[in-house]
Amino acid sequence: AQTVTQSQPEMSVQEAETVTLSCTYDTSENNYYLFWYKQPPSRQMILVIRQEAYKQQNATENRFSVNFQKAAKSFSLKISDSQLGDTAMYFCAFMNLNYGQNFVFGPGTRLSVLP
Amino acid sequence: EAQVTQNPRYLITVTGKKLTVTCSQNMNHEYMSWYRQDPGLGLRQIYYSMNVEVTDKGDVPEGYKVSRKEKRNFPLILESPSPNQTSLYFCASSPGTANSPLHFGNGTRLTVT
């Protein structure tokens, strides 16, 4: 079974600073996909960034980037120049097409950006 | 506007009273699924559907039913709700291809007393 672990239940960061959220996963598969979703207080689930396991290059989306370490099964999210609007719950998710496209989510990290 | 529409947003009911949460998507997506979100557990899959008339159990299917009679609709049915089904529920859809993210509805907060 695939599992996703987010070891930081809560984090805080000062506005304009950089923060890194950690995520590790367990799988025996070689081809899979990883995602970070953001859930602000409105409870909407918003895609932040995605990564294909076969790509060595780390994905980047504006202020968001990942550090994907396939051998270590690690997929951390870095938020640069943190903004108040980044305050949210962040979920790491794993998906493999061999499992009915079941997205396996981690327990989440609650991030607070402080003014 | 491409979206997943989920209703109602809030629902309070009593133990044993059957209820249905509706979900509809307008993106012609093949794949639809239901998740429940509980503190400290993240989102867990209840049921999913790869296409019309094709449904399968996720990780926590007990106490739930689904149907997929049309491509756009995927209702979640609780025949006899119990307090342990109090949770935040999300419907999601995707094209079902590699690297496709899930598109989520706005969630339904269910309270069973």
Side-chain angles (χ1 to χ4, degrees), chain A residues 1-4 32-33 35 93-105, chain B residues 31-35 43-50 56-60 94 96 100 102:
Chain A
Q2 341 291 316
T3 57
V4 177
Y32 50 86
Y33 305 88
F35 302 81
F94 168 100
M95 189 271 277
N96 179 277
L97 288 174
N98 292 333
Y99 291 89
Q101 206 184 31
N102 185 8
F103 278 64
V104 179
F105 287 83
Chain B
Y31 179 91
M32 297 186 75
S33 63
W34 277 100
Y35 289 84
L43 282 78
R44 294 178 294 167
Q45 191 180 57
I46 302 170
Y47 268 96
Y48 65 95
S49 169
M50 302 291 283
D56 217 335
K57 295 178 180 178
D59 297 320
V60 288
S94 89
S100 299
L102 287 173

Side-chain angles (χ1 to χ4, degrees), chain A residues 33 35 37 39 42-45 47 50-52 89 91 95 97 99-108, chain B residues 9-10 31 35 37 40 42-43 45 48 50 59 88 90 94 96-102 104 106-109:
Chain A
Y33 305 88
F35 302 81
Y37 278 88
Q39 185 182 48
S42 66
R43 83 186 190 205
Q44 256 187 303
M45 291 289 287
L47 177 68
R50 71 182 103 173
Q51 174 85 39
E52 297 93 335
M89 195 77 166
F91 293 100
M95 189 271 277
L97 288 174
Y99 291 89
Q101 206 184 31
N102 185 8
F103 278 64
V104 179
F105 287 83
Chain B
R9 271 182 75 77
Y10 297 92
Y31 179 91
Y35 289 84
Q37 180 182 349
L43 282 78
Q45 191 180 57
Y48 65 95
M50 302 291 283
D59 297 320
L88 177 59
F90 284 98
S94 89
T97 54
N99 199 26
S100 299
L102 287 173
F104 284 87
N106 285 332
T108 296
R109 172 73 69 186

Side-chain angles (χ1 to χ4, degrees), chain B:
Chain B
E1 181 190 350
Q3 60 185 359
V4 178
T5 302
Q6 194 181 326
N7 282 299
R9 271 182 75 77
Y10 297 92
L11 182 56
I12 301 174
T13 190
V14 296
T15 299
K17 187 175 182 183
K18 181 180 178 179
L19 66 91
T20 299
V21 184
T22 63
C23 175
S24 180
Q25 50 92 8
N26 62 1
M27 296 169 278
N28 201 37
H29 284 169
E30 303 281 336
Y31 179 91
M32 297 186 75
S33 63
W34 277 100
Y35 289 84
R36 61 176 288 173
Q37 180 182 349
D38 300 291
L41 297 176
L43 282 78
R44 294 178 294 167
Q45 191 180 57
I46 302 170
Y47 268 96
Y48 65 95
S49 169
M50 302 291 283
N51 213 327
V52 176
E53 302 291 1
V54 179
T55 63
D56 217 335
K57 295 178 180 178
D59 297 320
V60 288
E62 293 78 20
Y64 304 95
K65 283 176 57 177
V66 294
S67 68
R68 188 94 181 270
K69 294 185 171 62
E70 307 162 281
K71 196 172 189 178
R72 62 185 294 125
N73 295 325
F74 191 48
L76 179 69
I77 302 156
L78 284 72
E79 295 269 3
S80 182
S82 62
N84 64 11
Q85 292 178 300
T86 292
S87 187
L88 177 59
Y89 291 86
F90 284 98
C91 179
S93 72
S94 89
T97 54
N99 199 26
S100 299
L102 287 173
H103 299 256
F104 284 87
N106 285 332
T108 296
R109 172 73 69 186
L110 172 65
T111 302
V112 184
T113 60

